[in-house]
Amino acid sequence: MELQIQLKTLADKINQLKDKIETEESTKHAFVLPFINILGYDTFNPTEVVPEFTADLGLKKGEKVDYAIIQNGEPILIIECKNWKENLSVHGSQLFRYFHVSKTRFALLTNGITYQFFTDLDEKNKMDQKPFLEFDITNLKDNSINEIAKFHKSSFDVNNIVSNASSLKFIKEIRKQIDAEIVKPSPEFVRLFASKIYAGRLTEKVMEEFTDLVQKAFGQLIGERINERLHLALNKEVVIQEKDQLEEVEHSKVNTSEEELEAYRVIVAILRRKLPVSRIVHRDTQSYFGILLDDNNRKPLCRLHLNGGKKYIGLFNNDKNEKREPIQSVDDIYQFEKELLETVRLYEVE
């Protein structure tokens, strides 16, 4: 959750500042370095994040990649940055060369908004042509956040990321193919369905008809799925609203008496030797007056039943089962000082 919040904060910052960013250097400092920080790496520590990392290319010496993240003295991720306005598709070859001569298994090409992560799935020590992970930081999906988390310093594991990279890469390509088929079904795609439900010969005219039918069927199916999701979400919202309204009605029926408040003050006087007063909270209901630790229903300190003909204090044992003890007045609560303090001790043990 913390990573998600940090990424959302950076995305908001990018949306606010990008029109004021003119250069590649500004993109690095305003967008890319904060992203590296979010991954848990100290951009001010040159043994952890190396700017202008040297990646000599054969006879051509002094070639540098913008950043390298270092672990145990070796680069684990090299990063090439471009101006946020630039299209990354024309810059892959440069990073490809750097990857070949470094010892890293991962490379990142970014303009501070689009992030493309590469590895060497197709041929060892040779960067793949296509990224296994790509996302727009200003429009992040939950699955992308889960993959970003794997590059965090606290959880970075080369083998884990590489083993998952192959699945990510193929899923990405499959989704592209599905999307393309939905928009404009190919003859092979149409034939797949038509051959299963049409007994006659698939002539050109039949294929033309089925192309239209397949496209409409997918459109209807997607529309129905969206409506189902919306219906479920709306029903859930209605249930929550009805629950809130019921709680408001029940709360309106509760009338906290002066005697209950006096009893609460007595219990505070007893327990404040073990607890700050702020942690001792009362919550009145229609059936009892509850005293809770930290306003947590799972941590009842005691219950008071003072509104009936007979008065009781409800005490809790190790299993949090309530045992009612009769009292004549609020002053009788002092008789149960030992039991009340013992209940506090139980929660401290937890």
Side-chain angles (χ1 to χ4, degrees), residues 97 271 283:
R97 298 196 305 272
L271 298 181
R283 193 182 297 181

Side-chain angles (χ1 to χ4, degrees), residues 300 316-322 346-347 350:
F316 291 87
N317 59 20
N318 293 3
D319 299 320
K320 296 183 183 177
N321 294 321
E322 181 186 6
L346 291 175
Y347 294 131
E350 288 181 354

Side-chain angles (χ1 to χ4, degrees), residues 67-294:
Y67 299 105
I69 295 177
I70 307 296
Q71 190 178 84
N72 300 322
E74 298 290 347
I76 59 172
L77 176 65
I78 58 173
I79 305 170
E80 181 66 13
C81 307
K82 300 301 172 186
N83 188 307
W84 73 270
K85 298 177 183 179
E86 292 193 39
N87 187 335
L88 295 182
S89 61
V90 298
H91 295 290
S93 59
Q94 188 178 11
L95 189 60
F96 181 90
R97 298 196 305 272
Y98 294 151
F99 186 94
H100 182 66
V101 296
S102 71
K103 295 181 180 180
T104 185
R105 291 296 303 276
F106 304 107
L108 168 60
L109 178 62
T110 182
N111 59 11
I113 297 177
T114 300
Y115 286 75
Q116 296 178 345
F117 284 83
F118 297 84
T119 188
D120 54 354
L121 295 173
D122 297 333
E123 188 176 340
K124 196 169 183 180
N125 298 325
K126 188 176 180 181
M127 193 181 89
D128 299 335
Q129 292 291 335
K130 294 182 178 180
F132 68 89
L133 173 63
E134 182 174 3
F135 56 84
D136 180 333
I137 198 169
T138 62
N139 186 27
L140 275 176
K141 305 293 189 295
D142 288 344
N143 60 326
S144 294
I145 295 173
N146 292 336
E147 298 307 321
I148 293 169
K150 293 174 184 174
F151 282 91
H152 195 279
K153 181 180 177 180
S154 63
S155 55
F156 183 86
D157 183 288
V158 172
N159 294 328
N160 180 37
I161 299 173
V162 170
S163 63
N164 191 50
S166 179
S167 296
L168 284 174
K169 182 177 178 180
F170 288 126
I171 288 172
K172 176 186 171 185
E173 293 304 316
I174 290 170
R175 289 183 57 155
K176 281 184 178 179
Q177 291 299 319
I178 292 173
D179 188 54
E181 295 289 2
I182 291 173
V183 174
K184 186 178 180 182
S186 65
E188 296 80 11
F189 191 67
V190 173
R191 192 178 299 276
L192 172 68
F193 294 99
S195 63
K196 293 178 182 294
I197 58 179
Y198 185 74
R201 193 165 70 90
L202 298 177
T203 63
E204 184 177 343
K205 184 178 180 181
V206 171
M207 286 291 290
E208 186 178 327
E209 183 180 349
F210 266 93
T211 297
D212 185 53
L213 292 174
V214 168
Q215 193 169 26
K216 286 180 179 178
F218 266 89
Q220 291 173 4
L221 182 63
I222 293 170
E224 288 171 5
R225 291 291 175 87
I226 291 172
N227 286 334
E228 285 175 8
R229 292 283 185 91
L230 289 172
H231 183 68
L232 288 172
L234 287 171
N235 280 350
K236 185 177 180 181
E237 182 66 26
V238 168
V239 169
I240 292 172
Q241 288 177 357
E242 289 177 348
K243 183 180 178 183
D244 290 343
Q245 289 170 358
L246 181 61
E247 288 178 352
E248 287 178 9
V249 170
E250 289 180 349
H251 183 71
S252 67
K253 295 178 181 178
V254 173
N255 183 23
T256 303
S257 67
E258 181 56 39
E259 185 179 33
E260 287 171 329
L261 292 175
E262 184 182 352
Y264 168 68
R265 289 191 284 269
V266 170
I267 291 167
V268 169
I270 294 170
L271 298 181
R272 68 184 306 168
R273 285 179 291 164
K274 292 286 186 180
L275 295 169
V277 174
S278 60
R279 298 186 66 190
I280 309 167
V281 180
H282 68 75
R283 193 182 297 181
D284 203 356
T285 71
Q286 285 184 270
S287 53
Y288 61 83
F289 185 83
I291 312 294
L292 306 172
L293 177 62
D294 298 330

